[in-house]
Amino acid sequence: MDAIEVTDPRDPRLADYVGLRDVTLRKSLESEHGLFMAEGDKVIRRALRAGFEPRSLLLTERRREALGDLLDGVLDRGDAPVYIVSEEVAQGLVGFHLHRGALGSFHRRPLPAVGDVIEGARSVVVLEDIVDHTNVGAIFRSAAGLGVDAALLSPRCADPLYRRSVKVSMGSVFTLPYARMDDWREGLGALRERGLRILALTPGEDSVPIGDALAGDAGRPTALLLGTEGDGLSSRWLDQADARVRIPMAGRDVDSFNVTAAAAIACYELVRCSAREEPAAGAPSPPWASEDPVSVPPGA
Amino acid sequence: MDAIEVTDPRDPRLADYVGLRDVTLRKSLESEHGLFMAEGDKVIRRALRAGFEPRSLLLTERRREALGDLLDGVLDRGDAPVYIVSEEVAQGLVGFHLHRGALGSFHRRPLPAVGDVIEGARSVVVLEDIVDHTNVGAIFRSAAGLGVDAALLSPRCADPLYRRSVKVSMGSVFTLPYARMDDWREGLGALRERGLRILALTPGEDSVPIGDALAGDAGRPTALLLGTEGDGLSSRWLDQADARVRIPMAGRDVDSFNVTAAAAIACYELVRCSAREEPAAGAPSPPWASEDPVSVPPGA
C-alpha cells in the first residue's frame, strides 16, 4: 500500500478522527466502532508493540518525513491505511492543532476476565468509581512504571482507553493488565477467593500508615483500593477491606494529597513491600516499532 | 465595617480581581501591587491562619450566608473590606464562573533568605527551573503534606503564590517555608555550607535507587534536586550533586513518571529516611479561621 493524501476533512475515510474533544460524540463513536485513539508517535509505537491492531494512521505532511519509519512499518503490515493531511485539514478534522502530527486509530480487544487478570498477581490496584480520565491515566502510568501487576476497575470507572486516559498514561494502559468488574457490591470477592490481602487507602482516623501495614506481612499478595479525590471509598468497600491504610501526614495545615500523588506513593509502597516476580519480557518488537533514536533510560 | 455591595465589575475597588485568567496581566498587576489571590474559602482560611494580611475579600451573594463566619472574621479585623457581588458581576470581573463564590486578595510578604529557610532543615526540595505553575503547586502540596522542611527555588522557577500554584497546592505554599536563589550557578553552595547531602533525582544510567541512597546514610540532612519533566536537571546541578538517584522502574514499556508522581514518591522517601523533628505546632487560630464544620482527619 501507499500512503493516501486526503484534502477534505469531511472525507468518510477519516471518520475515526472526527471531533476528538467532543466527549459525548467520541464515547459513542468509539464504543460503536470498537476503537481507541493513540496520539503522538511515542504512544502509537507503544500500542503497536503491545500488539494492538491499527485501523488506520493519520500523519500531517509536516511530520511525514520525520516519522517515515512508522509510516512504512504500518504500510508494510498491509492491514491499515495511512492518511496524510495538511495541518489545516487535521485541525478541521480533530478540532485542535495537531502539534504532534500523528494519530493512530486502533481496534479494541475484549477485556480479560477479572479472574484472569489477578491470577498470580502479587500486587493489584483497584479503582472505585474514579470517573476522571486524567486521574485514571495518571494512576495507570505510576502503577505500570512502578511494577504493579494488575488493575481492576469498578463498573463506573472511567475508560482507560479513552483518548485523554491514554495520553496521560503515556500508553501504559496498553501494558498494565486490567479488567472491569461487572458487579460493584460483590466485586472484591474475587480478590479474597484468591487469597489477596485487601487494603483500603483512606484518611480515616482508624487507618494505619501504609508502610507499617505492608511491612507487617511483607510478601503477601495485596490489593490496594483507591477511591475518588473527593468522596473517597464507599463504606461498603471500606468495610470489606482487611485493613485501612493512610499515607502519613506531617501537619502544616495540609489535610490531603492529590490523587496522583497519593496513588504514586501507595503503589511505590505496595511494590516495595510485596515480593514480586521479575516483569515478563515483552514480545519481540519489530524494528519499526522502536523508540526514538535517543535511548530512554529507565528511571524517574 | 460592613460588607460593601458592588454592582459594577469595573468598580476600581475591585481592581485586584480583574481578569484572573490573563496570565500576563496578572503577573504585572500582582507584582506591582505586591498581592496574591486565594480562591475558595478553604484556601482563604489557610492564608489567614498562616498570618497573611488580607487586602480585601470578595464573596458572591449566593455564598454570603454560608460563609458568614469568614465574612465576619475579616470585617472584625478592621483592616480589609469585604465586597459582595452578584454571580454575573463576579463572572464579568474575573472572567469565568466563580463557582466557589469566594476570593481573597492578600499582601505578599518579603521572602526569607535562602540561609534562613534551610537553617536546621532535615529535608529540603530544590526546584530547578520548573516554570509550570501547576507542577510547582503540586510539588508543594506533596512536600508540605509529607513533612519536608523547606523548599528552594532556582531563579527561573514559577511563582508559588501565583493563583494557579496556590490553588493546586491547596494553600500549602503558605505553610512550607521557601526561598528563591538569586544565583543559579552557585545556588547549591548554601546547602553544602550547611552540611546537607545533595541528591539529584534523574533517570540517568548512573543513578541509584533513591531508597538505597537515602538508607545508606539515614538521618543525614538531605536536599533533593528536582528538574523539569522534559529536560530534567541541568548538567551543572547534576555535577554538583553528591549522588544521582532514581525511582526504580519495572519495565512494562513505561520510561518515566509524571512530575507530580515522581516528586511525591521522592519526598515520601526523603522524609521517611531523614530523621526529622516533630512539626512545630501552628500559631493558635482565631475561631473564624476554623476548617469546615466536618473535621478533616489527616491522611491520604
Side-chain angles (χ1 to χ4, degrees):
Chain A
M1 287 205 288
D2 289 323
I4 301 163
E5 298 193 7
V6 182
T7 55
D8 183 350
R10 294 161 304 180
D11 190 305
R13 291 173 295 181
L14 304 185
D16 282 5
Y17 303 95
V18 167
L20 284 188
R21 286 208 175 134
D22 183 337
V23 178
T24 310
L25 167 70
R26 294 302 306 183
K27 279 187 177 169
S28 65
L29 186 154
E30 295 183 9
S31 61
E32 188 176 334
H33 295 288
L35 62 88
F36 70 87
M37 278 290 127
E39 196 170 352
D41 75 290
K42 193 167 187 174
V43 173
I44 292 170
R45 290 177 203 271
R46 288 198 172 130
L48 291 167
R49 277 198 298 271
F52 286 96
E53 292 181 10
R55 289 164 57 94
S56 66
L57 188 66
L58 180 85
L59 297 179
T60 59
E61 279 161 7
R62 188 176 59 82
R63 293 283 283 159
R64 176 185 191 149
E65 192 168 348
L67 300 179
D69 65 323
L70 178 63
L71 186 155
D72 291 341
V74 170
L75 288 180
D76 287 350
R77 297 173 58 103
D79 59 354
V82 177
Y83 302 114
I84 309 290
V85 298
S86 68
E87 303 249 289
E88 294 68 34
V89 168
Q91 175 140 12
L93 179 66
V94 305
F96 55 90
H97 178 62
L98 199 68
H99 67 92
R100 289 175 198 270
L103 285 170
S105 176
F106 285 86
H107 292 284
R108 288 178 183 244
R109 296 190 291 229
L111 283 185
V114 167
D116 293 339
V117 161
I118 62 177
E119 190 64 44
R122 315 291 301 174
S123 56
V124 181
V125 290
V126 189
L127 313 190
E128 187 185 35
D129 294 3
I130 298 185
V131 297
D132 182 282
H133 291 109
T134 300
N135 288 343
V136 168
I139 293 170
F140 267 69
R141 183 173 174 191
S142 291
L146 288 162
V148 169
D149 289 329
L152 292 185
L153 310 179
S154 74
R156 289 194 291 191
C157 267
D159 177 11
L161 287 179
Y162 188 74
R163 183 181 67 96
R164 178 83 192 148
S165 307
V166 171
K167 182 175 181 175
V168 172
S169 85
M170 294 293 286
S172 57
V173 292
F174 307 144
T175 55
L176 179 65
Y178 72 92
R180 188 181 289 275
M181 305 170 176
D182 52 16
D183 178 4
W184 165 74
R185 287 184 62 81
E186 307 303 334
L188 302 180
L191 295 162
R192 196 172 303 284
E193 282 165 20
R194 281 165 186 77
L196 279 93
R197 169 175 53 171
I198 301 175
L199 302 184
L201 188 69
T202 175
E205 285 173 10
D206 51 352
S207 59
V208 297
I210 185 169
D212 296 350
L214 284 161
D217 198 358
R220 181 165 167 205
T222 302
L224 181 74
L225 313 184
L226 301 174
T228 58
E229 181 146 6
D231 296 331
L233 289 162
S234 68
S235 58
R236 179 166 179 85
W237 278 27
L238 284 173
D239 290 345
Q240 289 185 60
D242 296 309
R244 302 179 184 192
V245 299
R246 65 183 148 82
I247 296 165
M249 300 208 72
R252 288 213 189 280
D253 204 7
V254 179
D255 61 11
S256 65
F257 296 107
N258 84 33
V259 66
T260 301
I265 294 170
C267 289
Y268 177 79
E269 277 289 32
L270 181 64
V271 172
R272 200 173 66 85
C273 297
S274 312
R276 69 184 153 92
E277 297 151 317
E278 290 301 301
S285 306
W288 48 267
S290 67
E291 270 301 340
D292 307 352
V294 179
S295 74
V296 182
Chain B
M1 285 205 288
D2 290 324
I4 300 163
E5 299 193 7
V6 182
T7 55
D8 182 350
R10 293 161 304 181
D11 190 307
R13 290 173 295 181
L14 304 185
D16 282 5
Y17 301 96
V18 166
L20 285 188
R21 284 207 177 134
D22 183 336
V23 178
T24 309
L25 167 71
R26 295 302 306 183
K27 278 187 176 166
S28 65
L29 187 154
E30 295 183 9
S31 62
E32 188 175 332
H33 294 289
L35 63 89
F36 70 86
M37 279 289 129
E39 195 170 354
D41 75 291
K42 196 166 185 172
V43 173
I44 293 170
R45 291 175 203 271
R46 288 197 172 131
L48 291 168
R49 278 198 297 272
F52 285 95
E53 293 180 10
R55 288 164 57 95
S56 66
L57 188 67
L58 180 86
L59 297 180
T60 58
E61 279 160 7
R62 188 175 61 82
R63 292 284 283 160
R64 177 186 189 150
E65 194 169 347
L67 300 180
D69 64 321
L70 178 62
L71 185 155
D72 291 342
V74 171
L75 288 181
D76 286 349
R77 299 173 57 105
D79 59 355
V82 177
Y83 301 114
I84 310 289
V85 298
S86 68
E87 303 250 286
E88 294 69 35
V89 169
Q91 176 139 11
L93 179 66
V94 305
F96 55 90
H97 178 63
L98 199 67
H99 67 92
R100 288 176 200 268
L103 285 171
S105 175
F106 285 85
H107 292 283
R108 289 179 182 242
R109 295 190 291 229
L111 283 185
V114 167
D116 293 339
V117 161
I118 61 177
E119 189 66 42
R122 317 289 303 176
S123 55
V124 181
V125 290
V126 189
L127 313 190
E128 187 185 34
D129 295 3
I130 298 186
V131 296
D132 182 281
H133 290 110
T134 299
N135 288 343
V136 168
I139 293 170
F140 267 69
R141 184 174 173 189
S142 292
L146 289 163
V148 170
D149 289 329
L152 292 186
L153 310 179
S154 75
R156 287 193 292 190
C157 266
D159 177 10
L161 287 179
Y162 187 73
R163 183 181 68 95
R164 179 83 191 147
S165 307
V166 170
K167 182 175 182 175
V168 171
S169 87
M170 294 292 287
S172 59
V173 292
F174 307 144
T175 55
L176 180 65
Y178 72 92
R180 189 181 289 275
M181 307 170 174
D182 51 15
D183 178 5
W184 164 74
R185 288 183 62 81
E186 307 302 333
L188 302 180
L191 295 163
R192 197 173 302 283
E193 284 166 18
R194 281 165 185 77
L196 280 93
R197 169 175 53 171
I198 300 175
L199 301 184
L201 188 69
T202 175
E205 284 172 14
D206 50 353
S207 58
V208 297
I210 184 169
D212 297 350
L214 284 161
D217 198 358
R220 180 165 167 205
T222 301
L224 181 74
L225 312 185
L226 302 174
T228 59
E229 183 147 5
D231 296 331
L233 290 162
S234 66
S235 57
R236 179 165 179 87
W237 278 28
L238 284 172
D239 289 345
Q240 290 185 57
D242 296 308
R244 302 178 185 195
V245 298
R246 65 184 149 83
I247 296 166
M249 301 205 75
R252 287 212 188 284
D253 203 9
V254 179
D255 62 11
S256 65
F257 297 106
N258 84 34
V259 67
T260 300
I265 294 168
C267 288
Y268 178 79
E269 278 289 31
L270 180 63
V271 171
R272 200 173 66 84
C273 298
S274 310
R276 70 181 151 92
E277 297 152 315
E278 290 300 302
S285 307
W288 47 267
S290 68
E291 269 301 339
D292 308 353
V294 179
S295 75
V296 183

